[in-house]
Amino acid sequence: MKMMMIIRRLPPITITLTSAFSCRFTSPKFFPEQIIISSKSTPCYPRISLLATFCSASQVPDPIIEQDSSKRGPLKPGLYLVGTPIGNLEDITLRALRVLKSADVILSEDTRHSGKLLRHYNISTPLLSYHKFNESQREQRVLRRLKEGEIVVLISDAGTPGISDPGAELAKLCVDENIPVIPIPGPCAVVAALSASGLDTDEFTFVGFLSKHGPSRRERLTASANEARTQIFYVPPHKFSQFLEESSLLFGDSRRCVMAREMTKIHEEMRVPNQFWRGTLGEAKVRFLNQQPKGEMTLLIEGRTNCLVETPSEDQLEHELGELISRGHTLSTAVKLVAEGASVKRKTLYSLALKKFGKQLEADDNSN
């Protein structure tokens, strides 16, 4: 009786079904709160008997790719750069799945690896291998297909293609040929690692993979050590120990760093779902001295601050100067480069350079 009195006091509600009504109707067993909807514009009150369902965001079933694509129409021809999961197969967008399904061909860094993703989502689009060892041979063939009006998708093994992965040159060629290049945003190890690192995110420098050439690699590390921005590197597992040794020498053992890998899934060797290691470069050398992590890593190093800059020893300075001079840099240029990454006055560094390498350079000049 009280319930009926409350309902009678409620103001009339008019609900009209139109094409704009977007709520999905489902079996009543999923949703406890429902109301009657009239197909005519007539006043009605909420009632206990349940005929139609309003869905909250947490209750909506997973969208169906086919329904979504039917509303959007066919894709336009062009090169689509599609971001793919960096560990967990669920880390892919609905738009990415629609594009993968609609493409004429998918360029893949490793067809066996990408095949697992496609089979997981029942996608039968043909795969064509496209990696750093064959991209120069494939480019013209791919360009020809694009000019013929095909939809070509480029993916990497994980993350966003073209970012430290094959694809950047193909995108440049397409731009030069006025072929549309369409990015389909998705997972990216750089952004994922930085967002959860605990380091400064206002400014950062993405370096990617370092050069295999020793002097070039050390020159890049020297420049990074002097930057106030967070520095981000991709490091293959077999180069990890070398990276720690060289970076700690130039950045200093007390510089904070974060190692991120397998960020969206639990690796078999980890007992807890924690894919981040945090500490200093000195602590990292001790921690991973006899244990080489598996898989490629994203390694972040905090930017330079005055309180954390360590004065390198004379032996360290001499070693850095010697490498730069042996590479062909003049003495003054070598002093300038080393001074930029060390808390040592240039005048002091120049005196050291003259003392250690002056006679050697003079002898070289005389012989020439």
Side-chain angles (χ1 to χ4, degrees):
M1 181 65 70
K2 291 182 179 180
M3 179 63 72
M4 292 302 296
M5 293 176 64
I6 292 173
I7 292 175
R8 287 172 181 170
R9 293 177 183 176
L10 291 173
I13 303 173
T14 300
I15 302 176
T16 305
L17 290 179
T18 67
S19 60
F21 183 73
S22 60
C23 214
R24 186 175 299 179
F25 293 93
T26 323
S27 172
K29 66 180 180 180
F30 293 110
F31 309 104
E33 297 178 1
Q34 302 169 321
I35 66 169
I36 289 179
I37 297 178
S38 172
S39 61
K40 299 179 181 180
S41 286
T42 55
C44 66
Y45 294 96
R47 293 179 58 186
I48 303 304
S49 56
L50 313 175
L51 296 181
T53 303
F54 284 112
C55 310
S56 68
S58 61
Q59 295 170 324
V60 176
D62 293 336
I64 301 173
I65 300 171
E66 287 79 2
Q67 291 181 354
D68 182 67
S69 60
S70 65
K71 297 176 183 177
R72 299 177 183 272
L75 296 177
K76 296 179 180 179
L79 177 66
Y80 288 77
L81 308 178
V82 177
T84 53
I86 56 176
N88 193 315
L89 290 180
E90 293 180 354
D91 295 337
I92 192 167
T93 66
L94 295 175
R95 186 183 178 203
L97 292 175
R98 181 168 66 91
V99 170
L100 290 171
K101 215 164 209 181
S102 304
D104 294 300
V105 66
I106 298 173
L107 307 180
S108 167
E109 191 174 1
D110 184 338
T111 56
R112 292 170 298 179
H113 179 84
S114 301
K116 297 176 184 178
L117 173 68
L118 300 188
R119 286 192 296 273
H120 183 79
Y121 287 104
N122 297 317
I123 296 172
S124 57
T125 305
L127 285 166
L128 179 66
S129 65
Y130 191 88
H131 46 73
K132 64 180 181 180
F133 300 109
N134 72 356
E135 59 181 332
S136 59
Q137 290 80 28
R138 295 277 199 214
E139 282 172 354
Q140 294 305 316
R141 177 180 173 185
V142 172
L143 280 176
R144 185 167 60 251
R145 296 183 68 162
L146 285 164
K147 290 177 180 179
E148 291 172 355
E150 290 194 11
I151 299 168
V152 177
V153 167
L154 174 65
I155 62 176
S156 65
D157 285 348
T160 302
I163 308 299
S164 290
D165 272 321
E169 290 302 319
L170 180 60
K172 290 178 186 177
L173 286 173
C174 288
V175 171
D176 292 341
E177 296 286 341
N178 293 318
I179 296 171
V181 179
I182 304 98
I184 308 298
C188 181
V190 177
V191 177
L194 180 64
S195 65
S197 67
L199 301 179
D200 183 33
T201 61
D202 290 337
E203 290 186 300
F204 62 92
T205 298
F206 173 61
V207 180
F209 292 104
L210 289 169
S211 171
K212 294 180 180 179
H213 185 239
S216 299
R217 185 173 63 249
R218 289 180 59 81
E219 188 174 341
R220 173 63 255 187
L221 285 171
T222 299
S224 290
N226 192 49
E227 287 197 30
R229 307 176 186 89
T230 299
Q231 302 293 299
I232 308 176
F233 304 86
Y234 282 161
V235 185
H238 62 283
K239 295 286 186 180
F240 186 55
S241 296
Q242 179 191 69
F243 179 89
L244 290 178
E245 287 292 339
E246 294 182 344
S247 60
S248 62
L249 179 67
L250 297 169
F251 286 81
D253 282 342
S254 61
R255 193 80 71 97
R256 288 193 303 154
C257 67
V258 177
M259 185 188 75
R261 64 186 185 86
E262 304 287 2
M263 285 176 281
T264 64
K265 70 178 182 181
I266 303 174
H267 198 278
E268 59 183 3
E269 75 182 46
M270 291 192 172
R271 298 181 180 178
V272 293
N274 181 9
Q275 291 76 29
F276 291 84
W277 183 92
R278 298 175 175 87
T280 65
L281 286 170
E283 291 168 345
K285 284 196 299 183
V286 175
R287 169 67 176 79
F288 298 103
L289 179 64
N290 298 315
Q291 181 185 359
Q292 179 177 289
K294 298 178 181 179
E296 288 181 355
M297 287 154 280
T298 304
L299 205 142
L300 306 90
I301 304 177
E302 72 173 340
R304 175 178 177 176
T305 57
N306 291 330
C307 61
L308 291 177
V309 174
E310 296 180 350
T311 302
S313 67
E314 187 171 304
D315 289 340
Q316 290 174 325
L317 294 172
E318 181 182 342
H319 181 71
E320 292 177 40
L321 288 167
E323 282 212 358
L324 291 171
I325 290 172
S326 66
R327 194 182 170 211
H329 289 290
T330 64
L331 187 141
S332 58
T333 302
V335 168
K336 179 182 177 182
L337 289 171
V338 174
E340 288 176 350
S343 56
V344 180
K345 292 182 179 179
R346 188 176 297 186
K347 183 178 179 180
T348 303
L349 200 55
Y350 197 81
S351 298
L352 174 65
L354 284 174
K355 177 182 174 182
K356 297 291 183 180
F357 305 102
K359 292 182 179 180
Q360 175 188 332
L361 293 174
E362 184 180 345
D364 292 343
D365 290 339
N366 291 335
S367 64
N368 293 330

